[in-house]
Amino acid sequence: MFYAHVEQEDCPWLGIAASVNFTEFKQKLDHGLKSGFDREKIGQVFLGGVSVADSQIHVTEADFDEGIDAISLLLTYAAQRYLAESFVYNAAKHGLSNVMVDNASLGVETEGQVPLQLHQGQLQTYLHKNRFPGAKNEPRQWFMSATGTLPDQDLAVSLLIARAIDSLWNCARRKYLASPGQIILLNAEDVALAIYGPVRHSLNVVRTFTYELPKRSPDGSIPETHLTFINQQIPDDWSPESGDNVRPVRRINLLVRQRDRRIHSTSRRHLLPFSPNGIQQV
């Protein structure tokens, strides 16, 4: 939805309908992760403008920048999950080939050292042909992966994404329909806590284990197989804020600007079958 509102600004719903090439979409996400998501576009789509003056909402410049930071972090996390864990999604959606292991305990023990916990809890196990998404010229094929689940992280991030989408829709309604509304101003620390807090609480070091399935060679021998790990990611400089105070949800009014107003048509004809009454342009 973010890309549709950025690339098809005149008619975002056509941008959504045209987004059918998953390879092209993944390339967009990869580019966004490498170069960073455009802050002005984030502000325009989720906060109603490229700046406080442009958006005409009653917040400080610092709050506005903080809201952009929060959405940028949320977009980054969503893009990383989409690209890194497409195999488990495909296994569940297309192949029904994923199996839940209810209580797995994996660790490493070294003589004279305290055992290191790599994972404790549920695991989604699934099969895939390439070692990792996007792997090219990989001579080895067929692997089984086990990805840890963090339900508290999924629920918290999903709630924040829903709030961001709500803001996106209300900004769009003001822009295209001259309809007032509200946005929810997210806080970057709240987003970071939703993403990294469950990881720290779980004490799990590894997110995904990938085992190469053994294969028999023509001479009857079984060559060595490889095991790879994808670690949980927490920035080195992140630490949760102290205190038990929960920030209230900040709802900011979106008042209709002069440039949002359109000439209202009294015609009974509709531009599109789902166009609201009086809207004759996109």
Side-chain angles (χ1 to χ4, degrees):
M1 294 179 71
F2 170 67
Y3 283 115
H5 281 259
V6 167
E7 297 173 353
Q8 294 281 350
E9 187 176 354
D10 290 338
C11 191
W13 46 92
L14 293 184
I16 288 287
S19 183
V20 295
N21 188 323
F22 71 90
T23 300
E24 180 182 303
F25 183 67
K26 287 183 177 181
Q27 291 173 348
K28 291 180 185 179
L29 296 183
D30 185 62
H31 180 267
L33 290 175
K34 291 179 179 177
S35 62
F37 294 96
D38 190 287
R39 294 180 64 84
E40 288 192 354
K41 292 176 180 178
I42 290 175
Q44 189 172 8
V45 172
F46 293 97
L47 282 79
V50 299
S51 64
V52 173
D54 183 46
S55 181
Q56 295 185 19
I57 58 177
H58 296 293
V59 298
T60 65
E61 292 285 353
D63 287 341
F64 191 88
D65 289 339
E66 180 77 9
I68 292 179
D69 290 340
I71 295 295
S72 179
L73 181 56
L74 204 56
L75 286 171
T76 299
Y77 172 79
Q80 289 172 339
R81 283 286 299 270
Y82 186 91
L83 293 178
E85 299 186 2
S86 58
F87 284 165
V88 64
Y89 172 81
N90 290 334
K93 179 182 178 182
H94 301 294
L96 296 177
S97 60
N98 61 318
V99 177
M100 176 69 77
V101 178
D102 289 334
N103 190 19
S105 180
L106 300 173
V108 175
E109 292 188 11
T110 304
E111 185 176 354
Q113 300 292 329
V114 177
L116 174 63
Q117 174 184 315
L118 298 180
H119 178 86
Q120 177 67 47
Q122 292 182 325
L123 284 170
Q124 286 273 5
T125 61
Y126 48 98
L127 297 174
H128 46 96
K129 190 173 184 180
N130 296 326
R131 186 183 300 272
F132 56 86
K136 296 180 180 178
N137 302 322
E138 172 64 65
R140 299 174 182 265
Q141 293 184 342
W142 289 111
F143 301 84
M144 184 194 77
S145 287
T147 298
T149 63
L150 292 173
D152 45 353
Q153 182 191 65
D154 292 338
L155 288 172
V157 173
S158 296
L159 174 60
L160 293 173
I161 289 176
R163 289 176 176 175
I165 292 176
D166 185 65
S167 297
L168 177 148
W169 272 108
N170 282 324
C171 289
R173 289 189 184 99
R174 181 179 74 164
K175 179 177 180 179
Y176 299 107
L177 304 179
S179 176
Q182 290 182 327
I183 63 170
I184 299 176
L185 192 65
L186 299 180
N187 181 280
E189 177 57 32
D190 291 341
V191 176
L193 184 62
I195 296 173
Y196 307 129
V199 176
R200 170 172 288 191
H201 182 264
S202 72
L203 300 179
N204 290 336
V205 177
V206 177
R207 172 72 175 184
T208 298
F209 304 82
T210 298
Y211 306 85
E212 182 185 357
L213 298 184
K215 301 135 182 113
R216 189 181 298 277
S217 300
D219 61 2
S221 63
I222 298 178
E224 66 176 4
T225 58
H226 296 163
L227 170 63
T228 56
F229 306 97
I230 297 178
N231 293 336
Q232 300 276 19
Q233 298 297 322
I234 297 181
D236 294 335
D237 58 350
W238 179 80
S239 61
E241 291 183 354
S242 60
D244 298 326
N245 295 330
V246 177
R247 294 185 181 90
V249 176
R250 291 190 61 185
R251 298 184 181 273
I252 311 299
N253 289 329
L254 280 172
L255 302 179
V256 177
R257 301 163 297 188
Q258 184 60 40
R259 69 172 181 268
D260 299 321
R261 303 183 186 279
R262 302 286 190 270
I263 298 176
H264 187 82
S265 172
T266 58
S267 172
R268 294 183 179 180
R269 295 183 177 181
H270 288 249
L271 180 65
L272 296 170
F274 49 81
S275 298
N277 290 332
I279 301 299
Q280 297 301 318
Q281 63 181 22
V282 295

